[in-house]
Amino acid sequence: MTGWIIAGAVVLLIWLIGRIPLGAGVSRTREEGNRIWLQLGPASITLYPRPKKTPTKPAKEKKSKPAKEKKPKKEGKPRKPFTREQIVTLARRFLSLSLEAAGSFRRKLCIDVLELDLIVGSPDPADAAMDYGKASAALGALWGPLNEAFRVKDGRARVDVDFQQEHWAVWGRLQMTLTIGQLVWLGLRYGAAALNILRETCRDTNDAEKGGRNDGKAASS
């Protein structure tokens, strides 16, 4: 009975860990500037800008120990490089696998926040009106396919005009999440498939090399 309770607790713990959201975000605002961060559950880790390091006390100098002589490593037989045809085949199979993985990743990825503000800067009202129409059409053409390709929980896009500046500006925020379980599932499934492709290509190379040796022996005899 105790064994079943422990097994159930382990399964429950693994399930809870797999449900932890793992996310990433990027934002560009007037107040904060550019910012990139990672999200692991409730904890947020800022990747950019990096926090300023506090000055630390200089470390004491340690006495240098005499370097040990390194033993020479045994060199194995050099692996025969892939042929041009094998490289092309390998690239084609990896591309097909990458597209399949991207499709699965896209269906599992959730965009929590997607905010986009396109500011049209022009001191001339006539030019601003023309630019506003072009920007609205371009943003509308982009917004529709983006919402069809991904699941967007909270999204908005707008175009505004600023007569005080001469250049356009883009402000926005993007935050997306996956669970740890989904990320592990994607890595195991497509990582194993990529290793199988590489293993099959190496095996074909070795078979071709052995076949060439056998043909050479037969010709010499």
Side-chain angles (χ1 to χ4, degrees):
M1 187 66 181
T2 306
W4 286 105
I5 295 175
I6 296 175
V10 171
V11 172
L12 179 61
L13 180 62
I14 293 174
W15 182 80
L16 291 175
I17 293 175
R19 299 293 297 174
I20 295 176
L22 180 64
V26 58
S27 64
R28 186 172 188 268
T29 61
R30 295 179 186 270
E31 297 78 12
E32 297 182 349
N34 299 327
R35 182 170 174 259
I36 303 173
W37 70 93
L38 288 178
Q39 191 80 23
L40 180 59
S44 179
I45 304 172
T46 301
L47 301 180
Y48 180 85
R50 298 293 299 174
K52 295 181 179 180
K53 296 181 179 180
T54 56
T56 57
K57 296 181 179 179
K60 296 181 179 179
E61 294 184 359
K62 296 182 179 180
K63 295 181 179 180
S64 59
K65 296 181 180 180
K68 296 181 180 179
E69 295 183 359
K70 294 183 179 180
K71 297 181 180 179
K73 296 182 179 179
K74 295 182 180 179
E75 296 183 358
K77 295 181 179 180
R79 179 174 294 178
K80 188 176 180 180
F82 294 146
T83 63
R84 183 181 302 176
E85 291 77 10
Q86 288 172 334
I87 292 175
V88 172
T89 303
L90 195 64
R92 188 183 296 116
R93 295 184 66 182
F94 273 140
L95 178 60
S96 176
L97 182 65
S98 299
L99 293 175
E100 183 183 349
S104 298
F105 183 81
R106 175 181 61 83
R107 288 189 293 270
K108 294 182 180 298
L109 183 66
C110 178
I111 297 181
D112 299 314
V113 179
L114 178 58
E115 299 175 353
L116 186 60
D117 293 328
L118 181 58
I119 309 300
V120 177
S122 178
D124 187 356
D127 292 341
M130 293 181 61
D131 292 340
Y132 179 85
K134 294 178 181 178
S136 298
L139 192 59
L142 176 65
W143 192 254
L146 189 62
N147 279 267
E148 292 177 0
F150 298 95
R151 293 183 295 117
V152 182
K153 285 185 177 180
D154 182 13
R156 66 166 179 82
R158 64 184 181 185
V159 181
D160 202 355
V161 179
D162 188 352
F163 297 105
Q164 303 299 323
Q165 62 181 14
E166 298 181 356
H167 303 286
W168 290 25
V170 178
W171 311 103
R173 175 185 174 91
L174 171 65
Q175 184 172 348
M176 47 193 176
T177 57
L178 273 173
T179 63
I180 292 180
Q182 290 172 336
L183 192 62
V184 170
W185 179 84
L186 288 171
L188 291 176
R189 178 179 177 181
Y190 295 103
L195 288 176
N196 285 333
I197 291 174
L198 189 60
R199 192 180 296 113
E200 290 175 2
T201 306
C202 292
R203 186 174 61 242
D204 294 341
T205 303
N206 295 332
D207 293 343
E209 185 178 358
K210 290 179 181 178
R213 290 177 181 175
N214 294 333
D215 293 341
K217 291 180 181 179
S220 61
S221 60

